[in-house]
Amino acid sequence: MMTDLLSKLQTPTKLQTPIVATLAEKQQESPGIYTLHLALETNSSFDFAFGQFNMLYLFGLGEVPISIMGWQHDLLLHTIRAVGRVTQPLVALDIGAQLGLRGPFGQGWPLRQLEGLDLVFITAGLGCAPVVAAIHYAVENRSKYGRIVILQGVKHHNDLLWQPQYERWRDLGDCQVLLAASEEKKRKYHWRLGMVTELLALAQFDSSHCAVLMCGPEIMMLAALKQLAKHQVSDKSVYLSLERNFQCGHGSCGHCQLGPYFVCKDGPVFHYPQIKSWFGLAGV
């Protein structure tokens, strides 16, 4: 499923031409958020890396970039918040409806390179989708990694998607799950009040032998980077998944430029030292 040869196999024509996908299943995760299970009409294998994204295309309405959540029972999974002119009709599709799909695009998490290390996942809001996909991979390959630490922040505890799986992860061996609600008034069991970055003070991992995988609002990631530095975590240990204005998906239109990089093509997952000079700066 995952391959280092993916970028060599992709051609502009393949990435620009949508393949047909049929909505096989649809699951409501919370009000306005759905996971679509798509059957792809292609004779080729659909290779992807966790952290990559697809452009989902509704005929006559346009397309939207959506992170890949996983592959289950020969179906591709995408979790979507209905907030725009394309995502709202996307989640309203009936079972059996068809849509277009281009991708996968960009660079995913380097999970194979991180084997043997403690993994620290930090995320907030629906930004958790690319990180949750990586957590699933790490859990399924548990023996290849050290300690797993999961830090998740939301505004209210009811905003957390897939709550049962966090409970299962909590019961894994050598796995720490810490949850924070930033706008909750009363503390719930297993929850702390405050920002996700404040959970780093409670996290237990080897700062000299770890990899940090982050996704969420950039202001959250900037705050987390400051906390990680206080914990003696090297910049070289940090990977970020960025969200920008993806349009073409292959770095031709320039809408998602960050310094010398195009987030849609060179990201969305970046090694932090690669973008440190531009990350957090306006207008670059």
Side-chain angles (χ1 to χ4, degrees):
M1 184 167 60
M2 301 173 66
T3 172
D4 294 331
L5 297 177
L6 179 61
S7 60
K8 297 179 181 178
L9 297 174
Q10 293 175 337
T11 65
T13 299
K14 177 182 176 181
L15 294 177
Q16 291 170 11
T17 304
I19 59 176
V20 175
T22 301
L23 180 60
E25 299 177 34
K26 182 169 64 174
Q27 181 176 357
Q28 184 170 9
E29 308 291 358
S30 69
I33 299 177
Y34 294 80
T35 296
L36 307 187
H37 301 239
L38 304 176
L40 306 184
E41 296 187 8
T42 174
N43 294 324
S44 304
S45 62
F46 189 81
D47 295 336
F48 66 92
F50 292 114
Q52 289 187 298
F53 69 95
N54 289 322
M55 301 294 289
L56 301 188
Y57 176 67
L58 268 185
F59 306 110
L61 291 177
E63 61 181 359
V64 61
I66 303 292
S67 297
I68 299 172
M69 268 300 297
W71 181 270
Q72 190 176 79
H73 307 307
D74 293 329
L75 300 174
L76 184 65
L77 274 57
H78 284 290
T79 298
I80 302 171
R81 184 192 298 271
V83 293
R85 65 179 177 82
V86 179
T87 52
Q88 288 180 341
L90 259 178
V91 303
L93 290 174
D94 293 325
I95 301 300
Q98 292 185 323
L99 59 144
L101 183 149
R102 293 193 298 127
F105 292 106
Q107 311 301 316
W109 306 105
L111 290 164
R112 289 183 177 173
Q113 298 176 30
L114 308 180
E115 291 180 3
L117 301 176
D118 286 359
L119 297 183
V120 182
F121 298 95
I122 305 175
T123 188
L126 192 58
C128 63
V131 166
V132 166
I135 296 173
H136 280 299
Y137 178 86
V139 168
E140 291 172 2
N141 296 273
R142 185 68 191 86
S143 62
K144 297 181 179 179
Y145 300 99
R147 186 170 176 78
I148 293 179
V149 179
I150 301 169
L151 310 183
Q152 168 76 52
V154 291
K155 290 183 178 179
H156 305 280
H157 78 281
N158 285 333
D159 296 334
L160 181 65
L161 302 180
W162 311 298
Q163 294 202 26
Q165 71 184 9
Y166 283 81
E167 295 305 315
R168 291 195 297 273
W169 292 338
R170 196 188 304 278
D171 293 332
L172 286 175
D174 221 11
C175 181
Q176 184 181 23
V177 176
L178 298 170
L179 305 173
S182 61
E183 298 184 9
E184 199 82 37
K185 300 296 183 184
K186 185 177 179 181
R187 181 177 171 181
K188 306 289 184 182
Y189 184 60
H190 280 322
W191 286 80
R192 293 184 178 273
L193 305 181
M195 309 300 290
V196 64
T197 50
E198 298 171 25
L199 297 175
L200 273 168
L202 306 171
Q204 300 172 354
F205 60 95
D206 184 349
S207 60
S208 65
H209 196 65
C210 73
V212 179
L213 291 73
M214 277 199 287
C215 184
E218 289 190 7
I219 190 171
M220 179 279 287
M221 291 195 283
L222 287 166
L225 287 166
K226 293 180 181 178
Q227 293 295 319
L228 289 167
K230 292 180 180 178
H231 287 76
Q232 309 301 317
V233 176
S234 166
D235 290 345
K236 295 180 180 178
S237 299
V238 179
Y239 297 83
L240 310 175
S241 179
L242 305 186
E243 294 183 2
R244 291 295 169 101
N245 182 18
F246 300 157
Q247 295 284 326
C248 67
H250 45 80
S252 297
C253 71
H255 285 85
C256 63
Q257 187 168 359
L258 176 67
Y261 302 108
F262 297 102
V263 179
C264 71
K265 177 173 68 74
D266 303 309
V269 174
F270 286 97
H271 194 200
Y272 178 49
Q274 183 183 3
I275 58 167
K276 183 175 180 178
S277 299
W278 300 276
F279 187 58
L281 298 180
V284 298

